[in-house]
Amino acid sequence: MSQAPQNDGERGGEGIGGREAQAANLFDLRRIIGGLFLLYGAILTVTGLGDSHAEIAKAAGVHINLIAGLGMLALGAFFVAWGLLRPLGRQLAEADGEAEPRA
Amino acid sequence: MLAAAQIRLDTNALDFAILGIYFVVVLGIGFIAKRYVKTSLDYFLSGRSLPAWITGLAFVSANLGATEILGMGANGAQYGVATVNYYWIGAVPAMVFLGLVMMPFYYGSKVRSVPEYLLLRFNKQSHLFNSITFALATVLIAGVNLFALALVLKLLLGWPILLGIVIAAGVVLAYITLGGLSSAIYNEVLQFFVIMAALIPLTIVGLHDAGGWGGLKDKIGQSKIGEAGLHALQGTDPGHVTNPIGATWIGLVFGLGFILSFGYWTTNFAEVQRALSARDLSAGQRTPLIGAYPKLLIPAVVVIPGLIALWKVPHLGSGGDLAYNNAIPLLMNQYLPNGMLGIALTGLMASFMAGVAANVSAFNTVVTTDIVEPYIARDRDDAFYIRIGRYVTIGGIVVAIGTALIASGYQNLMNYLQALFSIFNAPLFATFIIGMFWKRMTPAAGLWGLVAGTIAALVTYVGYKWAGWFTFGSDLDESFWGAGAAFVVDAVVTVAVSLVTRPKPVEELQGLVWGMVNQEDAAAAAVHRSWWESPKLLGLGAIAAGAVLTIIFF
């Protein structure tokens, strides 16, 4: 898990802002949340597909693993897409170009 | 219906794998932070690189620990719908007040902590007094979180509470040293989503089982709290209290809505710090305002499960494993299959660990920078204070183990927490509000007001709990009146002392008092990129939404 975000970094990409932008992307919370929820969503969806009648009956007849798994996949995809479409590294570089904000 | 014996969570390897993944991610953030970004760490952790939605969620998440999940679930089962008063009356107006009125003073004076404001506005004595009571409050609250975590470990693994407390403390210590403060805000936001991922499915399943909200209302009507448990404010008239919360609307609005809640949200270091780290005054103001919107909706996934537990778990509230505090973990075990159960467990663990960590690190900060540095060992090198900080962290955890044992004596953790807030936050709020709006308030009044207010709340608490001098409708009612007494006594003493002592020269109050806000910041706050970023609009919108919801559930 801990090496996954590294591969996500901007190395070989647009390379904006160099090391700081890369570090910022590494720590982009949207990617961390997105990655975690994609993984959780996948686990729950697969579990949900294999749930027995007893397990569904436990949750008052709601297929909760499957429903929650799909919901988490959607949330994870939303965060990853948002993080990839507007990389934090580029935003930082732009913000620095405009003005020197308060430290 | 499952029997009361079904206490231990029915977890399997899958659930532990889900929990394990979370810890790997959290610790991974800490490791990467250490290895890759040593120099520029504060650069993007200061908040200015993060959008306002992150600071806003961190703001609400810093409060979404044991207090919310176990405590409000317990209140939902014990008092019913009236628990929503904690949100719509007891949180949202105060969050809006912090954003619109108080942030300009905090931000304008550029203080690093809440006690530091007292140093600038008043004097060293009031600063030292507040720093000490604040340090005491944080270890007591850390103890509540530690106990709640041990409670979860007991449910999960069947460990004795004491063993759970000690092990949880060890895990938190490792978590603070490894992840450090650097990953705190990240973990808070991550934790917000994991908790929601645990509570939303639980609520959906429970409501489905009860036959929707209408079905649940029927079932609560037949429960021990009855029809009165379905109303927020009905049955709270003085002299004729039928609401299960046992308080009059005067206690609710004045004690909870005004003093306890304003005291907590506007002077609590862990909360205010989130807003202080924003990139400019406008973003600082918007932090609590953005947090107010999720806060409006959280009762749907906390109070409703409490109500469902009241119907679904027989003999809830009879003590032991069936204490109200266990309402939500019991319900999770009853409804959630393996997989979702792992998510639920992860959400609970995450919130408690973050709660302990936030309080222990706040304790560490205040003891080191507000007590040791200015008053005990001045002008030492940085390494000295860092070393002291480490010892204080370990000491804080050890003391928190002791205070966790105090917390374990309470059936309902929320009542204990509210009592703590009435003693520590209510007088502080009175001193702040008068000090911010009245230039004439003197440094001596700052100290004596705080001392008198704290004593007043303590006397109310001891007199009710042990000495039997006073009687109140419930523990909760005591904390409303204790907070009220602290506020009134603080205010009276403050005014009286101010009238006979010398005020600070006006030029020393620049940026600290109403009408003397830092001009640059005021100008910067007036500029917003879009109309929906206007703090006034955001704030008034949240208050209006809270009022509408209160009327719907009246």
Side-chain angles (χ1 to χ4, degrees):
Chain A
M1 272 314 291
S2 56
Q3 58 270 57
Q6 288 175 30
N7 303 333
D8 254 6
E10 289 290 283
R11 67 184 59 146
E14 298 122 285
I16 295 160
R19 190 185 152 81
E20 266 180 3
Q22 196 179 316
N25 281 330
L26 199 65
F27 276 86
D28 189 340
L29 190 54
R30 294 168 299 184
R31 295 188 187 189
I32 298 173
I33 295 173
L36 183 68
F37 273 85
L38 282 181
L39 184 63
Y40 277 171
I43 293 174
L44 283 195
T45 306
V46 171
T47 311
L49 288 174
D51 270 349
S52 66
H53 286 296
E55 275 158 327
I56 295 169
K58 185 183 182 190
V62 182
H63 211 140
I64 196 65
N65 272 341
L66 187 63
I67 295 172
L70 292 174
M72 287 181 201
L73 279 177
L75 182 72
F78 166 75
F79 272 107
V80 168
W82 182 14
L84 289 178
L85 287 175
R86 301 193 59 200
L88 190 58
R90 195 189 318 171
Q91 284 179 28
L92 279 181
E94 284 169 8
D96 273 355
E98 278 169 23
E100 196 56 47
R102 180 192 148 109
Chain B
M1 226 175 260
L2 284 171
Q6 189 65 23
I7 296 300
R8 194 169 306 177
L9 292 187
D10 203 3
T11 44
N12 68 7
L14 178 66
D15 301 317
F16 284 107
I18 287 171
L19 183 62
I21 289 169
Y22 183 79
F23 283 115
V24 170
V25 170
V26 166
L27 296 180
I29 294 172
F31 274 124
I32 299 174
K34 256 185 186 161
R35 265 183 73 185
Y36 288 89
V37 272
K38 275 180 191 126
T39 50
S40 54
L41 201 58
D42 57 330
Y43 178 67
F44 40 91
L45 288 183
S46 66
R48 79 170 183 85
S49 65
L50 298 172
W53 66 268
I54 288 191
T55 43
L57 284 182
F59 186 87
V60 93
S61 198
N63 163 262
L64 200 66
T67 49
E68 291 295 325
I69 316 296
L70 291 195
M72 288 302 177
N75 278 346
Q78 192 170 356
Y79 306 125
V81 170
T83 308
V84 298
N85 291 322
Y86 279 104
Y87 295 83
W88 303 332
I89 291 178
V92 169
M95 293 164 90
V96 171
F97 185 80
L98 172 65
L100 293 185
V101 180
M102 289 179 81
M103 273 317 289
F105 299 109
Y106 279 130
Y107 211 92
S109 60
K110 298 190 168 60
V111 292
R112 291 166 301 168
S113 71
V114 169
E116 202 178 339
Y117 178 88
L118 294 176
L119 180 62
L120 295 181
R121 175 65 183 84
F122 304 116
N123 56 11
K124 284 181 177 175
Q125 287 86 345
S126 57
H127 175 233
L128 185 61
F129 178 77
N130 179 238
S131 298
I132 291 170
T133 57
F134 180 83
L136 194 61
T138 51
V139 288
L140 287 169
I141 296 169
V144 174
N145 282 275
L146 210 49
F147 169 63
L149 183 53
L151 205 60
V152 175
L153 285 177
K154 185 188 170 204
L155 290 168
L156 161 66
L157 302 168
W159 292 351
I161 285 285
L162 187 61
L163 182 69
I165 288 174
V166 172
I167 289 188
V171 173
V172 170
L173 193 59
Y175 165 92
I176 294 179
T177 6
L178 252 185
L181 284 173
S182 56
S183 51
I185 207 162
Y186 281 79
N187 288 331
E188 275 169 7
V189 179
L190 191 61
Q191 160 211 331
F192 176 82
F193 287 100
V194 176
I195 293 168
M196 288 300 127
L199 292 176
I200 292 170
L202 182 69
T203 310
I204 291 174
V205 171
L207 276 180
H208 180 81
D209 192 25
W213 174 240
L216 182 61
K217 272 163 77 172
D218 290 344
K219 274 146 185 139
I220 295 305
Q222 293 155 22
S223 73
K224 65 179 165 188
I225 56 174
E227 170 67 20
L230 289 168
H231 297 282
L233 288 172
Q234 228 171 63
T236 57
D237 290 328
H240 180 64
V241 176
T242 54
N243 200 295
I245 207 160
T248 64
W249 61 266
I250 302 171
L252 280 171
V253 172
F254 186 67
L256 172 69
F258 183 55
I259 303 184
L260 271 178
S261 133
F262 275 59
Y264 173 77
W265 289 99
T266 61
T267 64
N268 187 300
F269 178 67
E271 294 294 341
V272 174
Q273 195 75 354
R274 298 291 170 283
L276 284 180
S277 67
R279 68 168 183 267
D280 55 34
L281 178 56
S282 169
Q285 287 195 297
R286 272 182 286 135
T287 296
L289 302 179
I290 289 172
Y293 286 88
K295 192 76 184 165
L296 281 170
L297 300 176
I298 287 173
V301 294
V302 177
V303 180
I304 291 178
L307 290 171
I308 296 168
L310 177 64
W311 156 61
K312 196 71 185 174
V313 182
H315 312 296
L316 185 67
S318 57
D321 283 335
L322 290 172
Y324 284 118
N325 287 331
N326 292 354
I328 287 192
L330 283 166
L331 201 65
M332 285 173 168
N333 203 27
Q334 180 131 351
Y335 278 135
L336 299 181
N338 295 117
M340 258 321 297
L341 195 58
I343 299 280
L345 189 65
T346 306
L348 285 178
M349 299 283 274
S351 75
F352 300 140
M353 307 252 301
V356 183
N359 278 292
V360 169
S361 50
F363 172 77
N364 159 12
T365 309
V366 165
V367 170
T368 310
T369 65
D370 284 309
I371 298 177
V372 174
E373 196 179 327
Y375 301 112
I376 297 175
R378 219 176 299 175
D379 299 326
R380 303 290 190 89
D381 56 347
D382 240 22
F384 173 79
Y385 295 118
I386 291 171
R387 201 165 61 243
I388 291 288
R390 281 210 192 96
Y391 296 145
V392 171
T393 303
I394 296 169
I397 292 258
V398 171
V399 177
I401 291 176
T403 59
L405 296 175
I406 303 177
S408 70
Y410 285 78
Q411 259 271 317
N412 183 325
L413 286 182
M414 198 63 217
N415 288 341
Y416 175 54
L417 272 176
Q418 292 294 341
L420 291 182
F421 292 147
S422 74
I423 296 167
F424 293 110
N425 289 89
L428 190 57
F429 173 60
T431 296
F432 263 83
I433 200 77
I434 298 173
M436 278 184 174
F437 288 95
W438 195 35
K439 270 184 280 199
R440 177 73 179 74
M441 180 173 174
T442 63
L447 173 68
W448 294 112
L450 272 181
V451 172
T454 308
I455 290 173
L458 263 177
V459 166
T460 313
Y461 182 73
V462 171
Y464 164 73
K465 204 77 189 166
W466 292 303
W469 299 332
F470 318 106
T471 43
F472 294 101
S474 64
D475 288 358
L476 210 52
D477 198 29
E478 184 281 326
S479 59
F480 297 164
W481 288 101
F487 185 90
V488 171
V489 169
D490 183 315
V492 168
V493 170
T494 295
V495 171
V497 174
S498 284
L499 293 176
V500 296
T501 47
R502 277 165 63 92
K504 270 197 164 186
V506 172
E507 57 271 19
E508 285 180 26
L509 300 177
Q510 194 64 41
L512 299 171
V513 183
W514 182 256
M516 303 181 73
V517 176
N518 191 315
Q519 295 301 315
E520 270 171 58
D521 279 326
V527 183
H528 311 292
R529 270 181 299 176
S530 335
W531 60 269
W532 46 266
E533 286 191 345
S534 155
K536 278 205 181 70
L537 187 76
L538 278 171
L540 296 179
I543 290 195
V548 168
L549 285 168
T550 303
I551 290 166
I552 292 174
F553 288 91
F554 194 83

